[in-house]
Amino acid sequence: KVSCVQFNEEATVIVSGSIDSTIRCWDCRSRRPEPIQILAEAKDGISSLKVSAHEILSGSVDGRSRRYDLRAGQLYSDYVGSPITSICFSRDGQCLLLASLDSTLRLLDKETGELLGEYTGHCSTKYRLDCVLSEQDTHVGSASEDGRVYFWDLVEGSLSLSLPVGRGVVQSLAFHPTLPCLLAATQGQVQLWREESFQPE
């Protein structure tokens, strides 16, 4: 069972993560049914993937993030101790943001794995919930099982805002790449919020 998919930047390769703990790379041009590469280092299911110019970043239920540097042929791994539900690069490419089932977001230095910040206050114990960084890397955000979206100041770690999105679980979030707008998905709805006033559109 496939749990997450991503294109590479050129849209020539599809990268998929599965509950069988593998990451598989597929050639879009040849459309061959066999993967061109299988990455099988995880000990449990792959819950989240992100792909950059030369890196594959994965989060796993085994509590580890893994970053494959395809150019250097290196694997870097960081252990957080709780199943990871979502993972992403910062916009400047220097940090990793991880969400896990202990209701904690963690900001790590991409190169050293040093813990730069922890963010708590939301509820994440049962579902795969998204985490995001704002379009200028000033705030980190998380979906929550209590129907809210939470934002923290990236540097200070203080809770900046709690948005009442709905009554059910908020599972998916996405920031616009250049504008201060946020998409949130909950209970069969997709909501668009503008950052200036955080009013729903």
Side-chain angles (χ1 to χ4, degrees):
K1 181 180 177 183
V2 177
S3 55
C4 45
V5 291
Q6 291 273 300
F7 279 109
N8 70 339
E9 288 192 346
E10 295 80 23
T12 56
V13 175
I14 295 171
V15 182
S16 64
S18 306
I19 63 171
D20 69 358
S21 76
T22 65
I23 297 170
R24 297 170 188 250
C25 303
W26 312 84
D27 189 339
C28 293
R29 291 168 293 193
S30 70
R31 298 190 180 184
R32 292 178 57 189
E34 302 85 16
I36 56 176
Q37 188 171 13
I38 299 176
L39 306 171
E41 286 73 22
K43 306 303 181 189
D44 209 328
I46 305 298
S47 56
S48 184
L49 280 175
K50 289 293 182 289
V51 180
S52 71
H54 63 278
E55 295 174 311
I56 297 174
L57 178 64
S58 71
S60 173
V61 180
D62 67 9
R64 284 191 176 274
S65 68
R66 292 175 175 86
R67 180 171 58 90
Y68 298 86
D69 187 326
L70 304 178
R71 201 157 48 191
Q74 295 289 325
L75 168 63
Y76 304 92
S77 178
D78 294 296
Y79 182 64
V80 299
S82 179
I84 295 172
T85 63
S86 182
I87 194 166
C88 62
F89 291 104
S90 59
R91 305 280 177 176
D92 64 8
Q94 301 301 307
C95 300
L96 310 177
L97 182 64
L98 289 68
S100 53
L101 286 180
D102 58 356
S103 299
T104 304
L105 300 187
R106 293 173 176 86
L107 186 71
L108 305 181
D109 183 283
K110 189 182 82 169
E111 297 300 329
T112 67
E114 178 186 356
L115 180 64
L116 302 176
E118 287 189 338
Y119 312 91
T120 59
H122 63 300
C123 179
S124 176
T125 60
K126 298 178 181 178
Y127 298 94
R128 181 197 172 279
L129 306 182
D130 281 348
C131 62
V132 293
L133 282 141
S134 62
E135 79 283 355
Q136 295 183 352
D137 280 345
T138 57
H139 291 81
V140 301
S142 177
S144 182
E145 294 169 9
D146 61 5
R148 291 178 172 268
V149 175
Y150 290 81
F151 290 98
W152 298 264
D153 183 280
L154 181 140
V155 176
E156 299 295 329
S158 55
L159 183 65
S160 300
L161 187 66
S162 170
L163 286 178
V165 173
R167 295 184 179 179
V169 176
V170 182
Q171 285 194 274
S172 188
L173 297 175
F175 259 105
H176 190 282
T178 57
L179 300 176
C181 298
L182 174 76
L183 290 174
T186 180
Q187 290 186 314
Q189 294 182 336
V190 176
Q191 298 182 9
L192 173 64
W193 295 75
R194 292 194 179 275
E195 190 176 329
E196 294 94 336
S197 58
F198 275 110
Q199 295 296 319
E201 295 290 311

